[in-house]
Amino acid sequence: MSKNVDDYIQQGIYGEKQTKPDERRKFLGTLRERIVIVLTQSQVRESGMYIQVEEALKENQKAHLYLNGNMSYGEFSKYIKAAGDYKVEYTIVTNKDHNSEIGLVLAYDYAIDKEDIYVQKETGKPQQVKSKEKKGVFTIFSNVFKRRSR
């Protein structure tokens, strides 16, 4: 009986016991097995937005976006806007005791066990998706007008 009372008091003081606390600190409060995609802080800070993240938001609208609150709002606001566009809920996670190298995590509240969750810098160059679309339309029209002027 005293063990149950002691556990109850400990839970009241420190909160509920969690599995894999180091993993949860690293991945902004979630577990590795639940993650769809991850960006490091340096990747989030880059200008533009990773297309892989936007595609993941579009395809996983029931997932939850976690952003590292130890970064400034301006550095990840583009991802918050994209989450709003695709109606994906997000949380800014600030841990004053531990600053994870992870800047962004898109995860479910259950295990999906995706093998490759990290976006590689070589293949994931940030791009402004909307400006790319505008550029594509602009290029099409400019090519049409160039052909007519010849």
Side-chain angles (χ1 to χ4, degrees):
M1 177 85 173
S2 66
K3 183 178 181 185
N4 291 339
V5 172
D6 190 41
D7 288 342
Y8 182 76
I9 292 171
Q10 292 295 323
Q11 182 178 344
I13 295 171
Y14 300 110
E16 204 171 315
K17 290 183 181 180
Q18 291 186 341
T19 57
K20 303 180 183 180
D22 292 335
E23 189 174 304
R24 288 179 186 269
R25 274 191 293 276
K26 178 179 180 178
F27 292 114
L28 307 178
T30 192
L31 299 171
R32 161 72 174 83
E33 64 195 18
R34 300 175 176 182
I35 296 175
V36 176
I37 195 165
V38 169
L39 289 182
T40 63
Q41 284 193 33
S42 62
Q43 288 174 310
V44 172
R45 285 187 179 106
E46 292 176 14
S47 63
M49 191 171 136
Y50 279 80
I51 291 175
Q52 293 92 329
V53 174
E54 184 157 16
E55 289 172 355
L57 288 168
K58 190 185 307 181
E59 294 169 5
N60 300 282
Q61 293 181 350
K62 301 283 185 194
H64 195 94
L65 183 66
Y66 298 92
L67 300 155
N68 191 331
N70 292 319
M71 301 173 63
S72 72
Y73 180 81
E75 293 171 331
F76 55 71
S77 62
K78 57 191 171 247
Y79 293 103
I80 289 176
K81 183 181 180 322
D85 292 344
Y86 296 109
K87 296 178 177 58
V88 174
E89 293 182 9
Y90 69 91
T91 301
I92 299 171
V93 180
T94 304
N95 185 340
K96 295 180 184 190
D97 298 329
H98 178 76
N99 187 6
S100 173
E101 73 276 4
I102 303 298
L104 175 148
V105 174
L106 182 65
Y108 284 95
D109 58 354
Y110 54 88
I112 59 169
D113 291 321
K114 185 175 177 191
E115 189 173 318
D116 190 23
I117 60 170
Y118 292 95
V119 175
Q120 301 301 318
K121 287 191 178 196
E122 303 85 50
T123 61
K125 295 289 185 198
Q127 298 178 3
Q128 292 289 353
V129 175
K130 292 180 180 168
S131 65
K132 182 180 176 186
E133 291 170 359
K134 289 178 185 174
K135 183 178 178 184
V137 171
F138 177 74
T139 305
I140 292 169
F141 283 117
S142 64
N143 288 340
V144 169
F145 289 117
K146 282 181 187 176
R147 288 183 187 149
R148 288 186 177 182
S149 64
R150 288 185 185 177

